[in-house]
Amino acid sequence: MTVTATSVDQPDQLQPSPAPRGFRGRLLRLVPAAASALCGVLLYVSFPPRTLWWLALPAFAGFGWVLRGRGWKAALGLGYLFGLGFLLPLLVWTGVEVGPGPWLALVAIEAVFVALVGVGVAAVSRLPAWPVWAAAVWIAGEAVRARVPFRGFPWGKIAFGQADGVFLPLAAVGGTPVLGFAVVLCGFGLYEAGRLLAERRRTRTLRRAAAAAALLSVAVPVAGAVAARPLVSDKAQDGTRTVAVIQGNVPRSGLEFSAQRRAVLDHHVRETLRLAADIKAGKTPRPDYVLWPENSSDIDPFANPDAAAVINEAARAVGVPISVGAVVERDGRLLNEQILWDPAKGPTQTYDKRQIQPFGEYLPLRGLVGAINKNWTGMVRQDFSRGSTPGVFDIDGAKVGLATCYEAAFDWDVRDTVTHGAEMISVPSNNATFDRSEMTYQQLAMSRIRAVEHSRTVTVPVTSGVSAIIMPDGRITQRTGMFVPAYLEQKVPLRTSRTPATDLGVLPEIALVLVAAGGVGWTIGSGLRRRRTEGA
């Protein structure tokens, strides 16, 4: 066997055999397209509620196989098919109540970003150590998707499928960009290692530099995850607090539940009164505070004395402050608000949701959407306004950060609660609109990632989905079923230290975007220089 060392990925020396003709030839030409779509489906299967996180690795290995060495047109199409295979089943919950139109439109737009990533991956696949460049290109695509259009849609970040995986500790190192980068790098590295092994068997030569880069692409993410484990801890640093999470349930699932706003409020009051009765009977200890979900009171308690009265009743019965999710109209603005309701003082602190959901809480392009379907504009009659400051409630010395529902998907919306002093985080949510779909499990996985990313206890009070208490190491210690009234109570640790991910913030993402831009730029520049040389 002859061993050669080179730093440049050389093309195979064997001449390719003529392409098969006829029906068999046409069938073989469809293989990359089918493989790309199937790899996208495989990536979807790696996401919650399944715990098959490791399927992301063969998904990206296959994606690397179909893209390596392709021209930009082929890569664009193959990337789009991969995006469709991944996002169509992942986001099917968006059409549960409004029909397939919005779901298909969302997927069609989001898959464009994946298609452009495919072009970038194909371009950098000609570079030495290409899995590194290609993984950075994927994270750059996620960074763009998280910001545009309409302030972004980060759903489907690779990190959000890794709550049960071995790479999870990397969330504490550099957040979702570093965790996602490690998974994608390992997947591309597995393909490259297999490709080089097949090449060695065929040519009896081994390109040592390329082989070393492939092996490191697999080994470094795994070793990094093992090395990062000491960053993951559930030990208390500022004492503990006993917290209660209320899931009141809704009268029925679907958009119509908003028409029964008083019933929803009454359900959460009733469950809180049940908690109070159990405390009085000695069945459970009195919590330090109680957390209700988003939209637990769609009746504005500042404008409706009857709503304020029943919330007061619940707070006095349980004897501790309650964080209430309410829809509030103030100064002509509609706000999705969390209100800290003290049993003696009433409302004392508020937080207004900052990252509001397009087409759910506000309607971009209202005129165009109305021209397509007037029913859609009727669902969002008045746009919600955005809050402007991070939410951190000080509850008798315990600082509780707030990231309301959709905000859990955005890195910065969760991080700045911690940088503003949060010792634990609450993610009040309302998933009633999405019935029994996978949405609630996908969102729960996001909260598990956030727990490790910032080393904080995370509570998830939900109206009707899966409510849970999550330790700072990402473990779910208690959870409810779907569409059942229930309460959870547990003593949880308060933590004050910051992880590297918290301190670094957006810097790891910026670094990976620059790596991606450098790799794509170098490839484009090399191609232009080669053309000029050939022309001369």
Side-chain angles (χ1 to χ4, degrees):
M1 180 184 73
T2 303
V3 177
T4 62
T6 176
S7 62
V8 180
D9 198 3
Q10 299 288 349
D12 297 339
Q13 299 300 313
L14 299 177
Q15 294 295 324
S17 56
R21 296 180 179 180
F23 175 76
R24 181 169 175 267
R26 290 193 294 272
L27 196 62
L28 287 175
R29 284 194 290 273
L30 292 176
V31 168
S36 190
L38 288 173
C39 285
V41 174
L42 194 63
L43 181 59
Y44 154 71
V45 175
S46 75
F47 271 65
R50 295 157 295 276
T51 57
L52 303 174
W53 58 269
W54 52 271
L55 286 179
L57 304 182
F60 278 103
F63 194 41
W65 171 68
V66 299
L67 287 179
R68 187 177 181 277
R70 297 280 181 182
W72 73 267
K73 291 181 181 179
L76 188 70
L78 293 170
Y80 197 78
L81 289 172
F82 183 84
L84 291 179
F86 173 42
L87 295 172
L88 269 171
L90 185 80
L91 302 179
V92 68
W93 51 267
T94 60
V96 166
E97 293 295 335
V98 294
W103 161 51
L104 295 174
L106 175 64
V107 171
I109 293 170
E110 292 296 311
V112 171
F113 294 98
V114 183
L116 295 173
V117 166
V119 175
V121 170
V124 300
S125 69
R126 298 172 175 85
L127 296 177
W130 71 267
V132 177
W133 306 99
V137 168
W138 181 273
I139 299 304
E142 286 190 345
V144 175
R145 275 207 310 125
R147 291 166 173 83
V148 294
F150 313 124
R151 298 200 175 195
F153 186 72
W155 225 274
K157 274 191 168 187
I158 299 306
F160 295 151
Q162 296 296 309
D164 293 294
V166 299
F167 299 102
L168 178 61
L170 289 172
V173 176
T176 60
V178 169
L179 174 54
F181 175 77
V183 175
V184 180
L185 174 61
C186 196
F188 284 147
L190 284 172
Y191 161 65
E192 179 67 353
R195 186 185 72 84
L196 291 171
L197 182 62
E199 181 185 274
R200 176 183 175 274
R201 290 176 177 174
R202 187 175 68 250
T203 65
R204 298 191 178 279
T205 62
L206 176 67
R207 291 181 285 117
R208 290 182 298 182
L215 291 175
L216 288 172
S217 296
V218 177
V220 169
V222 176
V226 173
R229 288 189 64 82
L231 296 173
V232 181
S233 173
D234 63 357
K235 290 183 171 59
Q237 295 173 321
D238 190 25
T240 61
R241 293 292 189 277
T242 300
V243 59
V245 169
I246 300 296
Q247 176 170 299
N249 201 12
V250 297
R252 64 173 183 264
S253 63
L255 292 175
E256 297 82 2
F257 93 94
S258 293
Q260 304 177 59
R261 296 177 298 169
R262 180 55 192 261
V264 175
L265 173 58
D266 287 344
H267 280 208
H268 287 83
V269 170
R270 185 182 306 131
E271 194 62 24
T272 305
L273 294 177
R274 187 171 76 88
L275 168 62
D278 287 349
I279 294 170
K280 187 176 181 179
K283 296 180 180 179
T284 189
R286 188 181 303 277
D288 293 293
Y289 41 87
V290 175
L291 303 172
W292 284 9
E294 177 190 32
N295 298 131
S296 46
S297 176
D298 270 351
I299 302 173
D300 184 349
F302 296 110
N304 296 274
D306 58 332
V310 295
I311 295 171
N312 264 324
E313 178 190 2
R316 288 170 181 167
V318 79
V320 297
I322 301 177
S323 178
V324 178
V327 175
V328 172
E329 189 167 356
R330 184 180 296 116
D331 300 325
R333 302 169 69 226
L334 194 63
L335 300 167
N336 187 334
E337 189 165 86
Q338 288 291 312
I339 307 167
L340 186 63
W341 206 283
D342 186 86
K345 302 175 184 177
T348 58
Q349 302 172 53
T350 61
Y351 165 65
D352 299 324
K353 186 177 181 181
R354 294 169 294 158
Q355 194 76 43
I356 57 176
Q357 183 182 350
F359 303 100
E361 292 172 304
Y362 79 101
L363 198 60
L365 311 174
R366 183 175 287 272
L368 177 61
V369 172
I372 297 172
N373 190 325
K374 291 183 179 179
N375 291 332
W376 295 344
T377 57
M379 292 177 186
V380 188
R381 293 185 178 88
Q382 181 181 351
D383 292 342
F384 279 80
S385 297
R386 305 175 194 277
S388 57
T389 57
V392 180
F393 284 168
D394 188 333
I395 311 177
D396 295 329
K399 292 181 171 58
V400 181
L402 298 164
T404 304
C405 195
Y406 186 56
E407 293 180 319
F410 293 83
D411 296 348
W412 45 90
D413 280 317
V414 180
R415 175 181 177 266
D416 62 12
T417 67
V418 179
T419 59
H420 282 74
E423 298 170 304
M424 65 166 284
I425 300 169
S426 183
V427 184
S429 302
N430 172 24
N431 297 337
T433 302
F434 306 110
D435 202 28
R436 297 181 180 273
S437 69
E438 294 181 355
M439 184 271 185
T440 190
Y441 300 103
Q442 294 170 8
Q443 192 176 55
L444 184 61
M446 293 178 192
S447 295
R448 294 179 64 189
I449 299 299
R450 299 307 183 192
V452 174
E453 182 178 12
H454 301 293
S455 194
R456 295 292 188 271
T457 298
V458 177
T459 58
V460 186
V462 183
T463 52
S464 57
V466 177
S467 299
I469 297 175
I470 305 167
M471 290 292 100
D473 59 5
R475 288 180 299 117
I476 297 176
T477 53
Q478 292 191 59
R479 63 191 294 174
T480 69
M482 295 182 70
F483 290 95
V484 293
Y487 71 80
L488 306 174
E489 187 177 62
Q490 185 175 323
K491 183 180 288 185
V492 301
L494 301 182
R495 291 182 58 83
T496 55
S497 64
R498 294 189 185 185
T499 63
T502 306
D503 285 331
L504 291 171
V506 76
L507 292 179
E509 186 177 58
I510 291 174
L512 290 170
V513 169
L514 291 175
V515 169
V520 174
W522 180 268
T523 302
I524 294 173
S526 297
L528 293 175
R529 287 192 295 272
R530 184 169 59 251
R531 289 180 182 180
R532 284 198 296 266
T533 301
E534 291 171 353

